[in-house]
């Protein structure tokens, strides 16, 4: 794991756009791709029970993404942003012939041997996971919409974690039906699109030194949410 950039307590002049973006991206060292549970999972060391536990708990995050995005829309006064952001809800809930990301994750549950009734009942969701996800949704409901958009920038780091699973899981977990990995395939291009818009909002809204520090704090908060989820999962499904 690369060392994160030093936390800046204050600075007197705004960073340039390129430096501000670099500092946001530098927080990728705190992304949950580096969590011990994820490192074990992506090196083929997790048991079927651990994989199923991860899928079932992460499902709670998946079904709450549209609620988070709807909260952002409800607070957003900018029409152009709403026109772009609403696509995120459709990506997860589905529209027309596209069944959406939530269904793709449910198919992952099928592929790892989870009963759909149990998955949708949320009976496997750990209290720490529920608490972390609910905290994220509540933040999106209460924060200015630009701050909630900034929190979504963990998507900057997501494509690699999806690529790792697609590259490793078919050989490491041959018992998983590879058709169930479609969620990871879908998210790679969608994450790139979402990051482009989220970065545009963030770089143009957080312009003062204090605002830029606030943006870094927000992104750290979201990274902590994702890390805390894996802490709870790791405790519930120990080695």
């Amino acid at each position: 794991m690369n060392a994160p950039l030093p936390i800046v307590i204050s600075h007197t002049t705004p960073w340039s756009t390129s430096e501000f973006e670099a500092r946001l991206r530098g927080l990728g060292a705190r992304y949950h791709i580096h969590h011990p549970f994820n490192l074990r999972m992506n090196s083929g060391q997790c048991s079927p029970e651990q994989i199923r536990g991860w899928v079932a708990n992460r499902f709670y995050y998946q079904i709450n993404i549209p609620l988070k995005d709807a909260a952002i829309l409800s607070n957003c006064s900018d029409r152009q942003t709403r026109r772009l952001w609403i696509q995120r809800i459709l990506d997860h809930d589905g529209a027309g012939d596209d069944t959406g990301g939530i269904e793709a994750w449910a198919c992952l549950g099928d592929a790892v041997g989870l009963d759909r009734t149990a998955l949708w009942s949320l009976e496997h969701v750990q209290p720490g996971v529920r608490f972390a996800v609910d905290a994220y949704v509540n933040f999106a409901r209460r924060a200015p919409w630009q701050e909630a958009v900034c929190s979504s920038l963990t998507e900057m780091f997501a494509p690699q974690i999806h690529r790792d699973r697609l590259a490793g899981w078919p050989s490491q977990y041959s018992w998983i039906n590879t058709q169930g990995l479609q969620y990871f395939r879908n998210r790679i291009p969608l994450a790139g699109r979402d990051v482009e818009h989220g970065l545009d909002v963030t770089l143009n809204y957080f312009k003062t030194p204090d605002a830029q520090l606030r943006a870094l704090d927000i992104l750290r908060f979201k990274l902590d949410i994702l890390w805390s989820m894996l802490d709870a999962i790791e405790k519930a499904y120990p080695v």
Side-chain angles (χ1 to χ4, degrees), residues 120-138:
W120 279 99
S121 74
L122 307 179
E123 64 188 66
H124 297 296
V125 178
Q126 298 301 306
V129 171
R130 190 182 297 271
F131 184 85
V133 174
D134 290 353
Y136 181 39
V137 175
N138 286 332

Side-chain angles (χ1 to χ4, degrees), residues 43 63 77 80 129 191 235:
S43 59
I63 63 174
S77 58
Q80 184 58 26
V129 171
K235 184 176 181 180

Side-chain angles (χ1 to χ4, degrees), residues 21 52 75 77 79 84 91 102 118 128 156 159 166-167 197 200 215:
E21 180 176 344
R52 292 179 188 124
N75 292 328
S77 58
R79 177 171 176 256
L84 294 172
D91 287 343
I102 291 174
M156 290 188 296
L166 290 169
H197 179 218
D200 182 64

